Amino acid sequence: MTDPQGLGRSPRFAQIASFARLPQSQDLSAAKGVFLGIPWDDATSFRSGAREGPSAIRNNSRLVRSYNMFAKVYPFRVLNIVDWGDIDPVPGFLEDTFQRIEAGLTPIFKAGVVPFVAGGDHSITLPILRAQKAATGKSVSLLHFDAHFDTWEAYWQTKRYTHGTWVKRAYEEGLLTKGNVFQVGIRSPLYDAQDVPNNAAIVHRTYTTEDVDANGYAPIMDQVVSEIRDDPVYVSLDIDVLDPAFAPGTGTPEPGGLSSRELIHFLRELYRLSVVGFDVVEVAPQYDHMGQVTALTAANALFEGMSAVARRRSTSR
Ligand code: MN
Ligand code: MN
């Protein structure tokens, strides 16, 4: 049973910063969840810097504590979460890095352990989904929080593997269940009017920020839950779904996003879904000029994801 080390004894700013100061281990025999980092940002299209995301999230996660009173759960204890460490990328070499990510994640999915991943730019989700399929032989539903579609065909005319193309690639590769791809928080300006129908050909439901304003999180999550039901679902959280006022530390910020509180409300509903993997990507702390608020929020988003999975496991259903 894991818990933050030295809680109550050692000040939260002391000691080596594993995620929430959980034990560091790659032993999957007892864990039901692991935290891991993927410090990679060579597939970004605007401001790079997400390679510093995992270390900044770990640093700020030291403030996270053991008990979630809203989920009524001790997520670290229920899931026996450890800090697995980082996947070593090969800076500048996307194919090699994707292979390392897939190779690193496959045994985790195979063991039925839920990975909680800190990116890294959003391209990392593609090899994570490849690992999921390789381990289980099955596609997954996708719940995708983002300001951007990420369903574009290519960047720089011919480059098909970037942080803005991974949803389309994952769909084409059969990693995602048809009709079970959902997006929340979309709002960015587009390259072309045709981007909207192109996205709709892949994504079953796209909830823009206007939809969030009109409905609030509860009916949106009701609909998502009623359609995904008990299918395994992967949750991918691009931190730029938040307004830059709440999360300036990211590569492609878009005004008019969710507040941190709105996002946490969405995440607290995830216990109603069968979440098999969760990532928080695009945290670039170099632009996080306000007391590392983006990395701190990402750490808390991971805590909420862990809490939701733990709540579902600890409640008889
Ligand atoms: Mn984005
Ligand atoms: Mn994205």
Side-chain angles (χ1 to χ4, degrees), residues 122 144-150 152 163-164 166 186-188 237-241 250-254 281-282:
H122 218 157
H144 170 207
F145 294 90
D146 208 318
H148 309 97
F149 285 152
D150 290 359
W152 285 283
H163 75 157
W166 66 273
I186 301 294
R187 65 185 182 278
S188 83
L237 168 55
D238 186 329
I239 204 70
D240 70 27
V241 75
T250 193
T252 42
E254 305 286 352
V281 298
E282 300 284 353

Side-chain angles (χ1 to χ4, degrees), residues 128-147:
I128 295 172
L129 291 170
R130 286 175 179 165
Q132 193 290 135
K133 179 91 184 271
T136 67
K138 291 178 187 152
S139 62
V140 283
S141 299
L142 176 70
L143 179 54
H144 170 207
F145 294 90
D146 208 318

Side-chain angles (χ1 to χ4, degrees), residues 108-249:
I108 294 172
F109 283 113
K110 217 167 233 169
V113 173
V114 180
F116 295 91
V117 179
D121 74 48
H122 218 157
S123 69
I124 66 166
T125 306
L126 177 64
I128 295 172
L129 291 170
R130 286 175 179 165
Q132 193 290 135
K133 179 91 184 271
T136 67
K138 291 178 187 152
S139 62
V140 283
S141 299
L142 176 70
L143 179 54
H144 170 207
F145 294 90
D146 208 318
H148 309 97
F149 285 152
D150 290 359
T151 50
W152 285 283
E153 171 57 29
Y155 273 68
W156 330 125
Q157 301 184 304
T158 58
K159 301 305 173 201
R160 299 172 74 246
Y161 298 95
T162 76
H163 75 157
T165 56
W166 66 273
V167 177
K168 184 158 199 225
R169 293 292 93 75
Y171 189 77
E172 290 168 349
E173 293 180 20
L175 312 179
L176 304 176
T177 307
K178 269 195 171 153
N180 271 14
V181 181
F182 297 79
Q183 291 174 325
V184 174
I186 301 294
R187 65 185 182 278
S188 83
L190 303 175
Y191 298 96
D192 194 289
Q194 184 62 32
D195 292 349
V196 177
N198 288 351
N199 185 66
I202 293 167
V203 179
H204 178 53
R205 292 192 192 281
T206 295
Y207 302 102
T208 65
T209 41
E210 301 218 339
D211 297 321
V212 175
D213 278 351
N215 299 293
Y217 71 93
I220 292 175
M221 287 304 287
D222 283 348
Q223 191 168 39
V224 169
V225 168
S226 75
E227 300 202 58
I228 293 183
R229 296 163 176 270
D230 286 331
D231 282 355
V233 57
Y234 187 88
V235 179
S236 189
L237 168 55
D238 186 329
I239 204 70
D240 70 27
V241 75
L242 293 175
D243 193 276
F246 295 92

Side-chain angles (χ1 to χ4, degrees), residues 228-308:
I228 293 183
R229 296 163 176 270
D230 286 331
D231 282 355
V233 57
Y234 187 88
V235 179
S236 189
L237 168 55
D238 186 329
I239 204 70
D240 70 27
V241 75
L242 293 175
D243 193 276
F246 295 92
T250 193
T252 42
E254 305 286 352
L258 272 57
S259 70
S260 305
R261 189 169 68 220
E262 277 179 307
L263 174 64
I264 286 171
H265 281 316
F266 274 101
L267 299 180
R268 286 192 182 142
E269 297 298 310
L270 294 179
Y271 78 92
R272 299 164 69 190
L273 295 167
S274 178
V275 175
V276 298
F278 182 98
D279 65 42
V280 178
V281 298
E282 300 284 353
V283 173
Q286 301 85 347
Y287 316 106
D288 214 357
H289 46 82
M290 303 187 304
Q292 301 181 60
V293 65
T294 311
L296 175 66
T297 305
N300 278 269
L302 284 155
F303 177 69
E304 292 295 339
M306 292 167 179
S307 298

